[in-house]
């Protein structure tokens, strides 16, 4: 992706007016198309540089998280790199991957006890600050062992994107949110009849934390325990109240800052007469429809301007409203629309909407 296109894609995402909790997962995913990486992370901080919550792509390893926050956070990590708080409160915006590309770091406890078990090998970090200079958080891109090193050009590009991320986090949430299911954001778990957790799929722990308020240093380091999740208790109670209806299914929707979570629970039939009853639960984390549209458009052969116009058309804007929003002439919008129709082989806004929705499914 060209530098101008990369900046434009992130800028438009950060300008959607999404709550920060829904912006960050979408941003971390979008950054893979801009700067290739293995897993991305964002740590929210308070004004004093303390980590208060975070979002990390991939599953949570509770044991590794507990070990990091108990042993390394603002403590032993200084043996290998700057302490978290000092880094966030410092002056640098970008911490280069080259800082840790040395034998001492790869021998350190931080690398071998925290990074290596998660298949992390190198990182580039950006400190995001607000309009008054206060820290908002730390944005980290990781690569695994054997991957190419981050280049200075990639690090400079990340630095160019930081102001847009800051504005997106500080901006007021203005979007009327509409959600759409996404196949990849699904987890399953099983409960004993009394609501005790028995089995979880890889992403279930993270999904439970997000649906119950978010991931904090304290919550991430605790092994998942059924009673601490109110939603699971409610589902188990509902199933037990219909214990004689083996096909009974319970659905529960939770909306919070992180989006929409749809829980479905169903009793499982015992394989043997002496087996304990169990409950199957699926969790679907839905994403804002506007994010899904933009991800779908990123895969089409459209220019930067055409992608933006197409996204606004799908969102219901008229050509006059698009011209006002983008600060361009209505005739320019009309020209973009003509080219978009030709590229996508559609002949009306209605056909365009259907085409984009097909890509989202």
């Amino acid at each position: 992706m060209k530098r101008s296109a990369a900046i434009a894609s992130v800028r438009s995402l950060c300008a959607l007016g999404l709550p920060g909790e829904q912006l960050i997962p979408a941003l971390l995913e979008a950054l893979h198309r801009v700067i290739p990486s293995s897993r991305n992370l964002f740590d929210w901080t308070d004004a004093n540089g303390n980590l208060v919550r975070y979002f990390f792509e991939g599953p949570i390893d509770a044991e590794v998280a507990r070990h990091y926050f108990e042993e390394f956070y603002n403590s032993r990590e200084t043996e290998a790199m700057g302490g978290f708080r000092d880094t966030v409160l410092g002056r640098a915006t970008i911490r280069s991957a080259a800082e840790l590309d040395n034998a001492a770091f790869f021998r350190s406890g931080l690398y071998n006890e925290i990074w290596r078990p998660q298949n992390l090998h190198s990182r580039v970090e950006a400190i995001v600050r607000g309009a008054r200079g206060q820290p908002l958080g730390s944005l980290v891109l990781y690569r695994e062992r054997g991957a190419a090193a981050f280049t200075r050009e990639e690090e400079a590009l990340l630095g160019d994107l930081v102001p847009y991320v800051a504005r997106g986090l500080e901006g007021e949430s203005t979007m009327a949110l509409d959600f759409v299911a996404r196949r990849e954001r699904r987890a399953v778990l099983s409960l004993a009849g009394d609501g005790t957790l028995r089995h979880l799929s890889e992403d279930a722990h993270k999904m439970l934390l997000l649906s119950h308020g978010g991931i904090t240093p304290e919550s991430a380091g605790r092994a998942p325990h059924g009673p601490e999740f109110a939603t699971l208790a409610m589902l188990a109670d509902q199933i037990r109240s219909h214990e004689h209806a083996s096909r009974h299914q319970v659905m529960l929707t939770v909306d919070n800052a992180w989006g929409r979570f749809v829980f479905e629970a169903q009793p499982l039939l015992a394989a043997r007469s002496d087996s304990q009853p169990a409950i199957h639960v699926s969790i679907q984390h839905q994403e804002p429809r506007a994010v899904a549209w933009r991800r779908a458009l990123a895969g089409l052969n459209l220019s930067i301007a055409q992608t933006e116009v197409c996204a606004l058309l799908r969102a219901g804007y008229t050509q006059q409203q698009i011209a006002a929003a983008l600060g361009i002439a209505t005739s320019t919008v009309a020209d973009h629309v003509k080219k978009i129709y030709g590229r996508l082989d559609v002949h009306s806004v209605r056909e365009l909407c259907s085409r984009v929705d097909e890509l989202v499914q």
Side-chain angles (χ1 to χ4, degrees):
M1 181 180 285
K2 293 182 179 178
R3 193 185 191 93
S4 58
I7 293 173
S9 66
V10 172
R11 181 185 63 204
S12 62
L13 180 62
C14 292
L16 283 178
L18 292 168
E21 294 87 345
Q22 293 172 47
L23 169 63
I24 287 300
L27 173 68
L28 297 187
E29 181 179 5
L31 284 172
H32 288 286
R33 298 189 293 269
V34 176
I35 303 173
S37 57
S38 302
R39 296 173 71 183
N40 295 337
L41 161 73
F42 188 83
D43 297 311
W44 278 267
T45 64
D46 61 19
N48 296 316
N50 298 304
L51 194 161
V52 293
R53 58 199 172 109
Y54 66 96
F55 184 90
F56 192 23
E57 293 180 314
I60 291 175
D61 187 321
E63 185 175 344
V64 169
R66 178 190 55 76
H67 188 45
Y68 169 74
F69 286 111
E70 288 183 355
E71 297 289 334
F72 290 92
Y73 173 63
N74 285 324
S75 181
R76 283 183 59 198
E77 68 184 346
T78 59
E79 300 169 3
M81 57 192 288
F84 181 88
R85 185 183 300 112
D86 291 340
T87 297
V88 169
L89 295 178
R91 294 185 177 183
T93 297
I94 297 295
R95 295 182 66 190
S96 172
E99 295 177 16
L100 304 181
D101 189 14
N102 57 73
F105 175 70
F106 296 125
R107 289 195 303 267
S108 70
L110 179 65
Y111 178 77
N112 288 286
E113 297 173 36
I114 304 300
W115 285 41
R116 193 167 184 172
Q118 301 180 87
N119 198 26
L120 307 176
H121 185 73
S122 63
R123 69 92 179 96
V124 58
E125 179 177 12
I127 306 304
V128 182
R129 299 183 177 88
R132 299 187 305 277
Q134 79 282 12
L136 299 177
S138 164
L139 173 61
V140 189
L141 280 58
Y142 290 98
R143 283 180 179 164
E144 59 191 21
R145 189 178 183 88
F150 288 102
T151 66
R152 291 197 175 277
E153 181 181 1
E154 289 172 329
E155 294 177 348
L157 175 56
L158 183 61
D160 290 341
L161 299 176
V162 167
Y164 300 108
V165 177
R167 285 198 285 272
L169 291 172
E170 285 200 303
E172 185 177 350
S173 177
T174 58
M175 176 173 286
L177 293 176
D178 178 27
F179 297 97
V180 60
R182 184 171 176 190
R183 189 178 299 107
E184 297 89 342
R185 291 188 178 185
R186 187 174 182 273
V188 296
L189 57 90
S190 66
L191 304 173
D194 62 359
T196 304
L197 269 171
R198 297 176 64 175
H199 304 284
L200 300 93
S201 65
E202 190 176 51
D203 279 336
H205 186 196
K206 182 167 78 174
M207 205 86 77
L208 286 170
L209 291 177
L210 293 176
S211 62
H212 288 78
I215 306 169
T216 66
E218 295 77 19
S219 66
R222 291 195 302 267
H225 182 54
E228 69 180 297
F229 300 113
T231 303
L232 297 183
M234 294 174 63
L235 292 170
D237 286 343
Q238 285 290 313
I239 293 294
R240 282 196 299 268
S241 68
H242 297 81
E243 60 182 348
H244 299 299
S246 61
R247 295 182 181 275
H248 181 67
Q249 186 171 353
V250 177
M251 180 179 292
L252 184 64
T253 300
V254 175
D255 285 354
N256 65 15
W258 294 95
R260 174 166 294 167
F261 301 83
V262 179
F263 289 76
E264 294 185 18
Q266 188 169 20
L268 297 175
L269 296 175
R272 301 191 312 269
S273 59
D274 60 344
S275 297
Q276 294 296 316
I279 302 168
H280 172 81
V281 179
S282 67
I283 313 171
Q284 174 75 61
H285 184 190
Q286 299 185 352
E287 68 176 344
R289 191 178 296 273
V291 172
W293 287 338
R294 287 175 182 270
R295 188 180 64 254
L297 292 174
L300 299 177
N301 187 26
L302 299 175
S303 70
I304 300 169
Q306 289 165 1
T307 298
E308 191 64 26
V309 169
C310 192
L312 293 174
L313 283 172
R314 182 59 194 88
Y317 284 59
T318 66
Q319 293 192 23
Q320 291 76 17
Q321 290 170 328
I322 293 173
L326 300 181
I328 58 179
T330 305
S331 59
T332 303
V333 175
D335 184 58
H336 285 317
V337 171
K338 181 179 179 181
K339 291 176 180 176
I340 291 168
Y341 283 5
R343 289 278 178 88
L344 302 187
D345 192 25
V346 299
H347 304 87
S348 66
V349 172
R350 183 175 179 177
E351 288 186 14
L352 181 145
C353 292
S354 295
R355 175 71 186 280
V356 173
D357 289 346
E358 288 172 1
L359 295 171
V360 169
Q361 298 303 321

